[in-house]
């Protein structure tokens, strides 16, 4: 489809949109249009699929589209994690009927049959006992464990269902011992770093130790490099992760509310309240959050979302999430551009009501409040008091802009940085509009350059009041110590 046939009129919104790349969307022109319309801020690479060469080419496509659009986006590399799945089945599937017995055999080589099905996760017999409940295929098939005999798990089928090859397994209440990182993940981590990913997402995180392991691997891979390390995103999809939520959040740069596997482990009804709790807690602990899974699922095949999907996205926005995510909708769906456009429209509409509905959420009190945090809080307070048009953060790393965004203010936060890596990372932060500007090292000259740029881009006009946060020593990371109010002449 040509650009002239797509309406790329920009939709302004604070909540960021993460779209998964795949055969349905890895096209430079399509991605450029998705960025221009304001519907694409972060591109997710799903490392469950594709070769290193496939991801390298996709990274080239994304960077080219961003360059053409004039707006950088972040790349989120999503590692697969442990494959807790059944193995291949002869003929691709078997019909199971309620009351039948099914054997899961970790030692089985080759294709499974009605008598026994193999396991990709060979340690499952060590993790279950008689009476445990296993959910397969996203909870569509329930098995009760009768006994464990060596490598074999003898189960009773609780509901009739067609079981297909390679379907996932969850245990009610959690307790599977598989670690968050596999040998495949370590190989994929190298690829992700090589293509310059801005964030790494870890699947099936259980504790802060998983994050420590991942950071150590990143450091090992990037030893001697001056490049910015990718931020770590914990996917919250296990019961254990809920139990260790605070320590995981604090060990991460952000979290993903991964509602698919989480719903199977804790029950679907528990997920909405957990979603609200996780988003709130991430903000309180000064981390970002992404809400994911089936947000616009019907748009895989339909050009418009259902009303339930619209409500789902809007409620995540009202909960205060930093970003909402598409998976198959943009990876293999028929309407990737329409999906992100609809999502952007929903975000923009929900945000209009946000201040009146939830106001500003409290942040965790630190025993020692840094100057950076104090400046961020002050900028928000002053902006509200004087009804400022915008908050402008001169930032090297993006940390000040991020701290301002934690206050959930609906005012746009323009983050001006000389660093492309910082610009890309800030694409994830709610309300932050990252822009490249290599300012003068002279403080007063830099402030004049900032105003000239914002006026030239028609962001500010004569008579507008705005806030600037900066460092008295310009162009130094961590030096923000100044808050000033200006009026455009």
């Amino acid at each position: 489809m040509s650009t002239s046939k797509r309406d790329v009129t920009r939709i302004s919104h604070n909540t960021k949109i993460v779209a998964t790349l795949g055969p349905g969307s890895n096209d430079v022109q399509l991605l450029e249009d998705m960025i221009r319309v304001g519907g694409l801020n972060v591109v997710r690479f799903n490392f469950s699929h594709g070769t290193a060469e496939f991801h390298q080419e996709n990274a080239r496509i994304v960077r080219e589209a961003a360059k053409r659009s004039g707006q950088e986006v972040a790349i989120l590399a999503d590692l697969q994690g442990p494959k807790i799945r059944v193995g291949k089945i002869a003929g691709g599937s078997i019909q199971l009927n309620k009351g039948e017995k099914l054997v899961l055999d970790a030692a089985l080589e080759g294709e499974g049959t009605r008598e026994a099905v193999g396991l990709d996760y060979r340690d499952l017999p060590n993790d279950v006992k008689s009476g445990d409940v296993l959910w397969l295929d996203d909870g569509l098939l329930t098995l009760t464990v009768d006994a464990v005999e060596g490598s074999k798990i003898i189960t009773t089928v609780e509901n009739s269902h067609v079981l297909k090859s390679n379907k996932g397994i969850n245990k009610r209440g959690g307790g599977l011992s598989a670690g968050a990182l596999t040998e495949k993940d370590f190989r994929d981590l190298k690829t992700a770093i090589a293509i310059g990913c801005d964030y790494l997402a870890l699947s099936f995180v259980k504790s802060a130790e998983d994050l420590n392991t991942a950071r150590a691997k990143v450091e090992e891979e990037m030893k001697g490099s001056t490049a910015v390390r990718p931020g770590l995103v914990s996917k919250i999809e296990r019961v254990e992760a809920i139990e260790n939520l605070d320590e995981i959040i604090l060990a991460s740069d952000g979290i993903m509310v991964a509602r698919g596997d989480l719903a199977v482990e804790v029950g679907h009804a528990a997920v909405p309240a957990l979603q609200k709790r996780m988003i709130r807690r991430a903000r309180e602990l000064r981390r970002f959050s992404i809400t994911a899974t089936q947000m616009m699922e019907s748009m895989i095949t339909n050009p418009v979302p259902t009303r339930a999907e619209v409500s789902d996205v809007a409620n995540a926005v009202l909960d205060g999430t930093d970003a909402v995510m598409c998976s198959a909708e943009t990876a293999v769906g028929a309407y990737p551009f329409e999906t992100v456009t609809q999502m952007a429209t929903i975000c923009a509409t929900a945000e209009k009501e946000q201040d009146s509905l939830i106001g500003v959420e409290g942040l965790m009190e630190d025993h020692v409040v840094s100057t950076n945090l104090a400046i961020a809080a002050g900028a928000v307070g002053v902006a509200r008091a004087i009804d400022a048009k915008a908050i402008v953060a001169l930032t090297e790393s993006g940390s000040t802009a991020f701290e301002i965004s934690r206050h959930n203010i609906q005012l746009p936060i323009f983050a001006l940085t000389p660093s492309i890596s910082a610009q890309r990372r800030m694409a994830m932060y709610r309300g932050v509009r990252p822009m490249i500007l290599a300012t003068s090292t002279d403080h007063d000259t830099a402030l004049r350059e900032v105003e000239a740029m914002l006026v030239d881009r028609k962001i500010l006009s004569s008579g507008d009041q705005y806030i600037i946060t900066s460092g008295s020593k310009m162009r130094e990371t961590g030096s923000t110590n100044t808050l000033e109010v200006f009026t455009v002449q």
Side-chain angles (χ1 to χ4, degrees), residues 182-230:
T182 66
E183 288 304 316
K184 178 184 186 308
D185 293 328
F186 292 138
R187 294 193 299 272
D188 289 341
L189 181 147
K190 292 184 178 183
T191 300
I193 289 172
I195 65 176
C197 77
D198 303 288
Y199 292 100
L200 273 170
L202 308 183
S203 298
F204 303 108
V205 169
K206 292 193 291 187
S207 69
E209 188 57 37
D210 293 328
L211 280 303
N212 298 336
T213 300
R215 285 195 197 280
K217 284 291 181 181
V218 169
E219 283 302 321
E220 180 183 316
E221 187 63 25
M222 300 184 71
K223 187 176 182 180
S225 170
T226 58
V228 176
R229 276 46 176 167

Side-chain angles (χ1 to χ4, degrees), residues 89-90 92-96 102 112-114 117 161-164:
I89 295 172
S93 66
I94 52 174
Q95 170 66 50
L96 298 173
L102 178 66
T113 63
R114 181 177 295 279
V117 174
H161 182 68
V162 175
L163 177 62
K164 297 179 180 179

Side-chain angles (χ1 to χ4, degrees), residues 27 42 58 79 219 236 328 332 339 374 387 406 412 415 441 479 487:
D27 173 80
V42 180
N58 279 343
L79 302 181
E219 283 302 321
I236 309 299
V332 296
T339 297
D387 195 23
R406 297 308 84 201
T441 54
S479 66
T487 303

Side-chain angles (χ1 to χ4, degrees), residues 319-338:
D319 288 342
T321 193
D322 283 84
V324 286
M325 193 178 100
C326 306
S327 297
E329 302 96 324
T330 52
V332 296
Y335 301 98
F337 178 80
E338 291 80 1

Side-chain angles (χ1 to χ4, degrees), residues 431-447:
V432 175
R433 279 110 167 124
M435 304 163 76
I436 287 288
L437 180 64
T439 57
S440 167
T441 54
D442 177 73
H443 188 260
D444 291 342
T445 303
L447 298 189

